[in-house]
């Protein structure tokens, strides 16, 4: 059973081995969350050019030295034996590793996510049905549209003002519960 967790990877070395579609998707996810990623492969699909300013591309075959200092590793090659050796090395060295074709060798999996600013919603079936996770993600994207980025930002600002202004814990809780029932336009007009 996997334990859900949000992890801060600031200052941590992230390495993805592979240059195909799955590797690209994994790299793009890290980039979308603001992280720099090192990508190792003998070849890369064309899409990598779209994000090359946010990543370090190394055109080479996999070598352990590339992941020696990595905090988190993704093995996304089209060679099961290479993926397995990466997984075994990382597990032995207590590194977080995701082996795309072997969840049992992985120390973590990545849920499908909907990201709207600081609102992050993760969906996982623990590998049992990635299609269902993708379907639920699409449903959530419709419900939680791009306006939620501004909404969350505004909620955070108002929350901080409430916490600063009121000493009474009951009053704080009452106001904090009240503001989450307001829509974006109502929040914009909210006076504290």
């Amino acid at each position: 059973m996997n334990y859900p967790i949000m992890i801060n990877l600031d200052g941590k070395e992230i390495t993805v081995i592979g240059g195909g579609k799955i590797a690209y998707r994994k790299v793009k996810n890290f980039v979308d969350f603001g992280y720099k990623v090192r990508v190792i492969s003998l070849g890369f699909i064309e899409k990598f050019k779209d994000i090359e300013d946010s990543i370090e591309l190394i055109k080479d075959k996999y070598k352990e030295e590339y992941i020696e200092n990595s905090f988190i590793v993704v093995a996304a090659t089209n060679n099961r034996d290479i993926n397995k050796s990466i997984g075994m090395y990382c597990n032995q060295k207590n590194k977080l590793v995701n082996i795309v074709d072997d969840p049992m060798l992985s120390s973590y999996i990545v849920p499908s996510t909907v990201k709207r600013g600081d609102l992050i919603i993760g969906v996982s079936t623990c590998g049992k049905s990635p299609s269902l996770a993708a379907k639920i993600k699409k449903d959530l994207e419709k419900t939680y549209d791009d306006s939620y980025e501004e909404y969350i930002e505004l909620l955070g600002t108002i929350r901080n003002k409430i916490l600063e202004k009121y000493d009474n814990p009951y009053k704080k809780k009452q106001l904090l519960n009240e503001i989450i029932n307001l829509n974006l336009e109502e929040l914009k007009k909210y006076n504290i």
Side-chain angles (χ1 to χ4, degrees):
M1 176 63 96
N2 290 300
Y3 180 77
I5 189 171
M6 302 283 282
I7 188 167
N8 183 337
L9 296 174
D10 287 344
K12 305 281 193 266
E13 198 168 290
I14 302 166
T15 306
V16 175
I17 313 297
K21 285 186 226 172
I22 295 172
Y24 172 79
R25 197 174 74 239
K26 299 288 186 173
V27 170
K28 180 81 167 75
N29 196 34
F30 283 116
V31 169
D32 288 348
F33 278 85
Y35 296 112
K36 181 94 171 160
V37 183
R38 176 190 306 133
V39 189
I40 316 298
S41 183
L42 288 172
F44 302 94
I45 64 170
E46 200 64 26
K47 283 186 168 185
F48 276 99
K49 287 184 179 175
D50 298 340
I51 58 172
E52 66 185 343
D53 291 342
S54 303
I55 60 177
E56 176 188 0
L57 291 176
I58 299 175
K59 195 169 186 173
D60 197 1
K61 65 181 181 175
Y62 162 70
K63 298 173 190 159
E64 280 182 2
E65 66 192 54
Y66 285 127
I67 61 173
E68 260 177 358
N69 297 317
S70 296
F71 177 77
I72 193 164
V73 177
V74 176
T77 75
N78 58 2
N79 184 316
R80 289 181 75 87
D81 291 334
I82 292 174
N83 289 348
K84 184 177 180 179
S85 71
I86 294 168
M88 290 171 55
Y89 173 84
C90 289
N91 283 315
Q92 185 178 48
K93 301 288 184 180
N94 290 319
K95 296 180 180 297
L96 291 173
V97 64
N98 176 249
I99 310 301
V100 298
D101 59 1
D102 191 347
M104 296 304 289
L105 197 53
S106 299
S107 58
Y108 77 95
I109 59 173
V110 179
S112 290
T113 55
V114 175
K115 185 175 185 311
R116 303 293 189 242
D118 287 333
L119 174 64
I120 301 169
I121 304 168
V123 179
S124 176
T125 61
C126 292
K128 297 222 171 44
S129 181
S131 297
L132 177 59
K135 178 190 177 302
I136 293 170
K137 176 186 173 183
K138 283 183 183 181
D139 292 344
L140 288 168
E141 285 174 333
K142 291 174 194 166
T143 302
Y144 298 95
D145 62 19
D146 290 335
S147 69
Y148 270 82
E149 187 166 345
E150 183 179 3
Y151 183 74
I152 293 297
E153 198 62 38
L154 203 47
L155 270 177
T157 300
I158 294 170
R159 177 183 182 270
N160 287 339
K161 288 179 182 177
I162 290 170
L163 294 177
E164 287 173 13
K165 185 173 181 176
Y166 296 95
D167 291 328
N168 182 324
Y170 174 78
K171 183 68 174 174
K172 282 183 192 180
K173 185 174 182 172
Q174 178 189 8
L175 291 171
L176 293 173
N177 287 334
E178 179 182 298
I179 63 172
I180 62 169
N181 292 310
L182 302 176
N183 64 36
L184 181 57
E185 292 309 311
E186 292 168 327
L187 265 184
K188 287 179 180 179
K189 296 174 188 169
Y190 191 83
N191 271 328
I192 183 77

